[in-house]
Amino acid sequence: MNKALFATTAVAGIGIRQFKRGQSPMSERTALVHAIVDACAEAGLDPADVDGFVSYGDDKNEPVRLMPELGTKELCWSQAVFGGGGGGIAAAFGSAAAAILTGQASAVIVFRALVQGHSGRLSAAVMAHHLNDMMIAAGVMAPAQVCAMRAMRLFEHHGVPTSTAEEFVKACYYHGARNPDAVAYGQTFDHAQYAASRMIAEPFHLFDCSRENDGAGAVLLVSAERARDLRKPPVYLLGVTQGTEKGWGDLAENDVDYASAGFASVVRRLWRQTDLTPADIDCAQIYENFSAQGVASLIDHGFCGYEDAAEFVRMENLIAPGGKLPINTAGGNTAQGFIHGIGIALESVRQLRGESANPVPGARTCLLAGGPGSPTVSSAIFGSAAAFG
Amino acid sequence: MAHSSIEADAPYWAALDEGRLVMPRCGHCGTWHWPAVARCGECGNWGVEWHDVAPEGTVFTWTRTWHPFGGTEGIGTPFVTLVVSIDGAGGKRLMGLLDGDDAGIAIGAKVKGVVGQTRFGDRAVPSFHWHLAN
């Protein structure tokens, strides 16, 4: 176990503003400032005392520009995780914790803001990060197509049934339909709708693809000691790993473990770092840009394998309160909303505070997995005080 | 648009303009590389050599795109994109479009490529277009 990192920092506050895509009534920066002020208000901490900021995924909001509206006294830590997809979401917490634990900052906001009128379509931004003439020549213009080709290999070559993708999506909609803050609140979703939805890029139907939303989310991380003096019950960061290993990366579809979500080395280090195993995880927020990549994330993290994926990835196993591993309990990127994944980080916190719309009784640990299929990915484990006695 | 002559993959594009496929291989340890590299990360050698390779291979994966993503207007939907393991280049994979009858498309199918172009906006990007063998 990495004792320096295990439960030595904690989330003290969260804030989010989410709108329909292209319909934000406020600017990207204003939405972000709202989210940060809300996160600080939860904690009972003056926003002016936030001295660090970390984002990921081509976020355009350079923290120094937030200072006039937050009243920031001192900016000590200002970073973004490399990588154009959502692979940096958990890694951002690692950066924030590194700053706090080494005394380089004391109150760090992890954020992601995205308002289409300001930053354009998310899918276009992600693709611009990678696009080159090799892809253009093959008609590959969107993340959906790249992930579809990986999904095809997962299904056709490795024999994982396509039912797993549908079951994953159904679990997301089950939770989203029961979450008043979700885009899919109150909606029904069944096999007939899934099967009838238009084809995007085989094997992906429309419902295999995440949404895009306008908005901003913010998570306030402080030392565990400081968090215990603030208003909300601390949600501790137990471990976090990021990156990739040889044979994976921005390799023009030459990745070795091609149909995976790219987590092999990140997961290996995560279990070693925390002394935890998949059996210790009570619920999980699995970044799903596309359904098959969510399934591949479950496989990569060791919750199941190619052989028993069909048995494990069934809706009843994946929903609160009674599933073996409730996932995306707010609805995930698919049914809650998609501000480049920051929503699933917030749900990790809500779930461990007992504030989720779909509570997992007695949940002590929550996995946050970011950016399946991205050249670099990251995972984190959060825990309540009960997670470590 | 001309491809930069200082990028690692410049010989690929230059050969494509001449109707040939070339792929890079380390002159020291023999490792095939794709994407193109200036230095072989396997052995540290800076001497990467380009070899003429037959545009023949095996379908590693594929997708048929139905949604008219921006930039694909010049191709027209639906169209099939392939990732092809190149037989003569250690199985290194290239992306490309499938032309002609696509009824037999599947992982493991044999394909042959011919040099063509892909319309992207007002650009014509040189590319290999693949056909199912047999």
Side-chain angles (χ1 to χ4, degrees):
Chain A
M1 182 198 297
N2 184 328
K3 287 182 180 168
L5 194 57
F6 192 90
T8 50
T9 59
V11 174
I14 56 175
I16 189 165
R17 295 295 164 108
Q18 179 176 297
F19 311 103
K20 284 189 174 174
R21 176 167 65 83
Q23 293 183 25
S24 174
M26 59 184 76
S27 78
E28 188 169 294
R29 190 172 75 204
T30 301
L32 176 56
V33 169
H34 271 293
I36 293 172
V37 168
D38 289 353
C40 291
E42 269 202 344
L45 183 137
D46 183 347
D49 290 328
V50 170
D51 59 1
F53 301 86
V54 186
S55 189
Y56 59 91
D58 296 322
D59 194 294
K60 291 182 167 57
N61 298 278
E62 197 170 323
V64 68
R65 297 183 189 136
L66 305 173
M67 292 176 70
E69 286 169 311
L70 293 175
T72 308
K73 295 170 188 162
E74 200 170 9
L75 180 62
C76 304
W77 190 259
S78 177
Q79 288 202 327
V81 179
F82 271 117
I89 184 171
F93 287 92
S95 170
I100 292 163
L101 295 173
T102 55
Q104 296 180 80
S106 62
V108 181
I109 288 284
V110 171
F111 72 92
R112 183 72 172 98
L114 189 72
V115 167
Q116 186 174 308
H118 182 87
S119 290
R121 287 291 300 260
L122 171 60
S123 55
V126 170
M127 214 54 188
H129 202 97
H130 307 287
L131 205 60
N132 57 41
D133 274 4
M134 289 300 301
M135 301 173 85
I136 288 169
V140 176
M141 312 290 181
Q145 295 167 288
V146 176
C147 290
M149 292 195 292
R150 290 161 185 253
M152 191 69 83
R153 183 91 184 164
L154 181 70
F155 298 148
E156 224 181 86
H157 179 76
H158 294 288
V160 173
T162 55
S163 67
T164 55
E166 181 178 342
E167 294 293 309
F168 191 103
V169 172
K170 277 156 65 179
C172 293
Y173 269 90
Y174 180 91
H175 291 136
R178 289 158 178 79
N179 173 12
D181 295 328
V183 178
Y185 179 58
Q187 291 182 13
T188 57
F189 184 73
D190 58 21
H191 172 74
Q193 283 168 280
Y194 179 83
S197 67
R198 66 190 173 90
M199 195 60 84
I200 301 297
E202 296 175 36
F204 288 155
H205 293 257
L206 178 65
F207 283 109
D208 291 299
C209 307
S210 57
R211 296 162 184 269
E212 290 185 22
N213 287 92
D214 282 2
V219 182
L220 173 64
L221 198 75
V222 297
S223 72
E225 190 179 10
R226 188 175 185 186
R228 287 190 277 269
D229 292 333
L230 296 174
R231 282 184 192 155
K232 281 286 188 181
V235 170
Y236 297 91
L237 180 65
L238 304 185
V240 55
T241 52
Q242 61 162 309
T244 186
E245 66 183 330
K246 187 173 185 174
W248 185 272
D250 220 341
L251 298 179
E253 305 310 300
N254 277 272
D255 310 81
V256 173
D257 196 3
Y258 184 79
S260 83
F263 282 98
S265 65
V266 167
V267 166
R268 211 162 51 230
R269 282 183 274 131
L270 185 68
W271 300 137
R272 195 165 64 217
Q273 185 194 79
T274 56
D275 278 349
L276 297 172
T277 71
D280 296 311
I281 302 301
D282 295 328
C283 57
Q285 311 305 327
I286 304 287
Y287 185 110
E288 84 289 29
N289 34 14
F290 302 95
S291 58
Q293 277 62 43
V295 173
S297 294
L298 292 173
I299 295 170
D300 281 5
H301 283 82
F303 295 109
C304 60
Y306 286 139
E307 299 74 19
D308 61 345
E311 192 182 321
F312 182 79
V313 187
R314 286 183 294 136
M315 190 179 83
E316 62 261 39
N317 280 341
L318 306 178
I319 58 174
K324 283 182 186 167
L325 181 74
I327 61 158
N328 298 0
T329 45
N333 296 335
T334 306
Q336 178 198 7
F338 188 34
I339 310 168
H340 214 175
I342 193 70
I344 65 170
L346 270 72
E347 176 64 8
S348 301
V349 175
R350 287 203 190 95
Q351 192 57 259
L352 294 171
R353 285 177 179 171
E355 296 176 351
S356 172
N358 297 287
V360 177
R364 298 179 303 172
T365 58
C366 184
L367 174 75
L368 172 67
S374 292
T376 53
V377 296
S378 59
S379 290
I381 300 170
F382 293 94
S384 65
F388 50 94
Chain B
M1 186 184 296
H3 288 92
S4 168
S5 61
I6 62 170
E7 294 297 330
D9 63 358
Y12 171 85
W13 296 107
L16 197 53
D17 284 342
E18 299 169 1
R20 295 182 298 125
L21 173 61
V22 295
M23 294 286 283
R25 187 181 198 186
C26 175
H28 180 253
C29 72
T31 301
W32 290 96
H33 288 281
W34 198 256
V37 295
R39 176 181 181 270
C40 175
E42 298 300 314
C43 72
N45 177 41
W46 287 88
V48 172
E49 299 170 351
W50 289 80
H51 297 266
D52 275 285
V53 171
E56 296 174 2
T58 308
V59 175
F60 183 79
T61 192
W62 63 281
T63 184
R64 187 182 284 107
T65 297
W66 292 84
H67 182 77
F69 291 105
T72 64
E73 297 83 358
I75 304 170
T77 52
F79 62 88
V80 172
T81 297
L82 305 177
V83 174
V84 179
S85 294
I86 303 300
D87 294 339
K92 285 293 166 186
R93 308 168 200 153
L94 293 179
M95 282 177 274
L97 289 169
L98 181 72
D99 280 355
D101 182 19
D102 67 8
I105 185 65
I107 290 172
K110 294 292 181 186
V111 288
K112 291 187 175 185
V114 294
V115 175
Q117 293 181 329
T118 304
R119 296 297 307 178
F120 177 68
D122 52 9
R123 289 180 58 200
V125 181
S127 58
F128 278 97
H129 287 230
W130 300 91
H131 299 260
L132 287 168
N134 309 320

